[in-house]
Amino acid sequence: MPTVSSEELAAAAGVNSAKLRKDFSYLGSYGTRGVGYDVEYLVYQISRELGLTQDWPVVIVGIGNLGAALANYGGFASRGFRVAALIDADPAMAGKPVAGIPVQHTDELEKIIDDNGVSIGVIATPAGAAQQVCERLVAAGVTSILNFAPTVLSVPDGVDVRKVDLSIELQILAFHEQRKAGEEAEAQADAALEAEAGAAAAAAGKSGKGPDGDVPAVMPA
Amino acid sequence: MPTVSSEELAAAAGVNSAKLRKDFSYLGSYGTRGVGYDVEYLVYQISRELGLTQDWPVVIVGIGNLGAALANYGGFASRGFRVAALIDADPAMAGKPVAGIPVQHTDELEKIIDDNGVSIGVIATPAGAAQQVCERLVAAGVTSILNFAPTVLSVPDGVDVRKVDLSIELQILAFHEQRKAGEEAEAQADAALEAEAGAAAAAAGKSGKGPDGDVPAVMPA
DNA sequence: CCATCTTTGTGCACGCGTTCACAAAGGCAT
DNA sequence: ATGCCTTTGTGAACGCGTGCACAAAGATGG
Ligand SMILES: NC(=O)c1ccc[n+]([C@@H]2O[C@H](COP(=O)([O-])OP(=O)(O)OC[C@H]3O[C@@H](n4cnc5c(N)ncnc54)[C@H](O)[C@@H]3O)[C@@H](O)[C@H]2O)c1
Ligand SMILES: NC(=O)c1ccc[n+]([C@@H]2O[C@H](COP(=O)([O-])OP(=O)(O)OC[C@H]3O[C@@H](n4cnc5c(N)ncnc54)[C@H](O)[C@@H]3O)[C@@H](O)[C@H]2O)c1
């Protein structure tokens, strides 16, 4: 029976072994003292706990550059996610296959969600359309949203939103880069400022937003 | 003079006003008691602190679906990032313009980095090539990397890596989704398990990895 | 069957980030 | 000028996650 010790796993994941053991203990006591954890059983338990033993149908709304890349991405399927439908507002795209899946028009959104029992939606529309799309998804029964548009979505309680903002990722890198390049100690205010910076820009009289409502320019430019 | 109070900003950003004030205090005391913060000055100070007042040249390596979408993304420029070059290993792509920028071959990588003084690199290659690309970038002088490939990159001290893993974002949503759908209290082990799950899969004899070395399948499938 | 050795599971303490709460500061009206 | 009112800046307390350290568990070998 192949096993791993918490020490080995901790080294591989780059975390403390005690923390790892404590985390595992929340799932129950699957380890064997003096031996370690049964790899196969452990993988199964974690998979089950994380919800990987079931297939999650997802819809992607907004099949532009990013949406198409996501549709083509094979990494989702291997983690238990199935692209149930691609949805776009552009009538010219309707019926056109992307990654082998025909794009459907936004009109069908509610029906698609309902028919497929979709509870997870991905938003890859321009920022200006995101909130509206979000509301339709939620109204149709979606309770988890992965948002790529650079907007803060407001949703009712019970709905989870995760935002992927690539600009902020780069900003965080640039921030640390600046540190390395000089500027002695300075402040320790880091990523926390990010959200606040956005809020400040918004407070600046909404003048920071472009015509199509995309990324608020924090820099006066 | 347009001003904002910490209370207003905190409400907008969804954080505690005391925390926000304390964060700002690390940048110095820019507020006026009884009035609030001068919006314009505040925005400038935060921009400067975050490194947004200078332009950062970045290179994108791996111009496939995702890399092309990134190259086309306008949100970078508005935050002070300039796409200095697009790099791909496919000779067929060399010279072909993507988003108006001609793709250059990997052979030129070191020269491009050096000529443009690039310190931030984006990796959008398949997972199997990521570590190698990473090493070349670092050797050429890049000290910050944004990694989209589903691999843990190992880098020398002094180099920052941020990883964007869309599968994990979806997994986190699915995890909470599963909670809502039943399964009473259970464990509170959440995202912390993600990294450990990957390590466990790796420990499972590397059998979880596909032929092209993409996403390790945590689920035995 | 007992001794020994390895590794788990977890109580406890430490440290850090968040929040509370309030004195000091400054504007503004009278 | 004086007093009042608003909002900042921050000391102190709280809470939580992390890591240490060790007793208990179990395997393994003699
Ligand atoms: N491309 C990137 O790398 C990238 C990176 C970060 C963030 N983003 C963000 O992701 C979003 C999409 O980026 P993109 O580059 O794919 O843009 P895009 O313009 O190429 O695609 C947007 C798509 O959304 C569709 N759309 C517009 N309104 C819609 C609506 N109401 N309902 C359904 N579909 C609608 C459009 O028809 C179009 O196909 C943007 O908000 C962008 O800021 C993109
Ligand atoms: N497409 C997505 O939505 C998505 C989402 C999450 C993660 N990812 C990850 O991002 C990466 C890219 O995804 P994609 O869909 O764009 O894949 P892709 O196959 O479309 O593109 C990969 C590109 O990298 C180039 N390449 C290969 N080896 C290279 C090397 N050594 N040096 C430089 N270039 C090289 C290829 O020529 C190709 O153009 C993958 O690791 C994928 O797992 C993609």
Side-chain angles (χ1 to χ4, degrees):
Chain A
M1 184 179 80
T3 59
V4 261
S5 70
S6 62
E7 204 64 57
E8 292 174 278
L9 281 176
V15 298
N16 182 283
S17 66
K19 178 185 189 308
L20 190 141
R21 284 198 299 278
K22 190 162 285 185
D23 284 352
F24 283 4
S25 76
Y26 290 122
L27 312 182
S29 291
Y30 299 132
T32 306
R33 295 172 187 227
V35 177
Y37 299 88
D38 173 12
V39 171
E40 195 182 344
Y41 190 55
L42 180 63
V43 167
Y44 168 72
Q45 286 296 342
I46 294 178
S47 299
R48 189 184 53 76
E49 182 66 24
L50 293 179
L52 304 181
T53 49
Q54 54 184 287
D55 245 51
W56 296 95
V58 302
V59 295
I60 303 176
V61 186
I63 313 302
N65 288 305
L66 185 59
L70 294 172
N72 277 300
Y73 180 44
F76 294 148
S78 65
R79 293 284 186 109
F81 298 98
R82 183 171 48 82
V83 178
L86 305 178
I87 303 176
D88 201 287
D90 185 353
M93 298 210 58
K96 250 192 7 194
V98 171
I101 303 167
V103 175
Q104 293 177 270
H105 192 264
T106 333
D107 291 347
E108 315 281 339
L109 192 146
E110 285 77 10
K111 180 169 160 48
I112 296 167
I113 304 290
D114 199 50
D115 287 356
N116 294 279
V118 174
S119 53
I120 301 178
V122 177
I123 296 180
T125 65
Q131 179 62 42
Q132 187 197 336
V133 167
C134 171
E135 282 161 17
R136 286 185 65 181
L137 287 174
V138 170
V142 166
T143 47
S144 288
I145 290 176
L146 182 56
N147 178 33
F148 287 90
T151 335
V152 178
L153 297 176
S154 58
V155 292
D157 283 355
V159 176
D160 284 320
V161 176
R162 292 190 67 86
K163 187 181 162 190
V164 177
D165 190 326
L166 306 180
S167 296
I168 284 193
E169 298 297 328
L170 281 181
Q171 281 192 22
I172 294 171
L173 286 176
F175 176 72
H176 289 116
E177 198 61 38
Q178 181 178 240
R179 284 290 171 81
K180 298 177 200 163
E183 325 285 323
E184 47 290 349
E186 278 203 49
Q188 67 238 56
D190 61 332
L193 274 174
E194 298 290 345
E196 296 156 4
K206 284 87 199 161
S207 61
K209 288 203 176 184
D212 69 332
D214 230 80
V215 188
V218 172
M219 222 180 94
Chain B
M1 184 181 80
T3 59
V4 261
S5 69
S6 61
E7 204 63 59
E8 292 173 277
L9 281 176
V15 298
N16 183 285
S17 67
K19 177 185 190 304
L20 190 141
R21 283 198 299 279
K22 189 161 283 185
D23 284 352
F24 283 4
S25 75
Y26 290 123
L27 312 181
S29 292
Y30 300 131
T32 305
R33 293 171 188 229
V35 177
Y37 299 88
D38 173 12
V39 170
E40 195 182 344
Y41 189 56
L42 179 64
V43 167
Y44 168 73
Q45 286 297 342
I46 293 178
S47 300
R48 189 182 53 76
E49 183 67 23
L50 294 180
L52 305 181
T53 49
Q54 54 185 286
D55 245 51
W56 296 96
V58 302
V59 295
I60 303 176
V61 186
I63 314 302
N65 289 306
L66 185 60
L70 294 172
N72 277 300
Y73 180 43
F76 294 148
S78 64
R79 293 284 186 107
F81 298 98
R82 183 170 47 83
V83 178
L86 304 177
I87 303 176
D88 201 287
D90 186 352
M93 298 211 58
K96 248 186 17 189
V98 171
I101 303 168
V103 175
Q104 292 176 270
H105 191 264
T106 333
D107 291 347
E108 315 281 340
L109 192 147
E110 285 78 10
K111 181 168 159 47
I112 295 167
I113 304 290
D114 200 51
D115 287 356
N116 295 278
V118 175
S119 53
I120 301 178
V122 176
I123 296 180
T125 65
Q131 179 62 42
Q132 187 196 336
V133 167
C134 171
E135 282 162 17
R136 286 185 65 180
L137 287 173
V138 170
V142 166
T143 46
S144 288
I145 290 176
L146 183 56
N147 178 32
F148 287 91
T151 336
V152 178
L153 297 176
S154 58
V155 292
D157 284 355
V159 175
D160 284 319
V161 176
R162 292 191 67 87
K163 186 180 163 191
V164 177
D165 191 326
L166 305 181
S167 297
I168 284 192
E169 298 296 327
L170 281 181
Q171 282 191 23
I172 293 171
L173 286 176
F175 176 72
H176 289 116
E177 198 61 39
Q178 180 177 242
R179 283 289 172 81
K180 297 177 200 162
E183 324 286 324
E184 48 289 349
E186 278 203 52
Q188 68 239 54
D190 62 331
L193 274 175
E194 299 289 345
E196 295 156 6
K206 284 87 199 160
S207 61
K209 289 203 174 186
D212 70 331
D214 230 79
V215 187
V218 172
M219 222 180 95

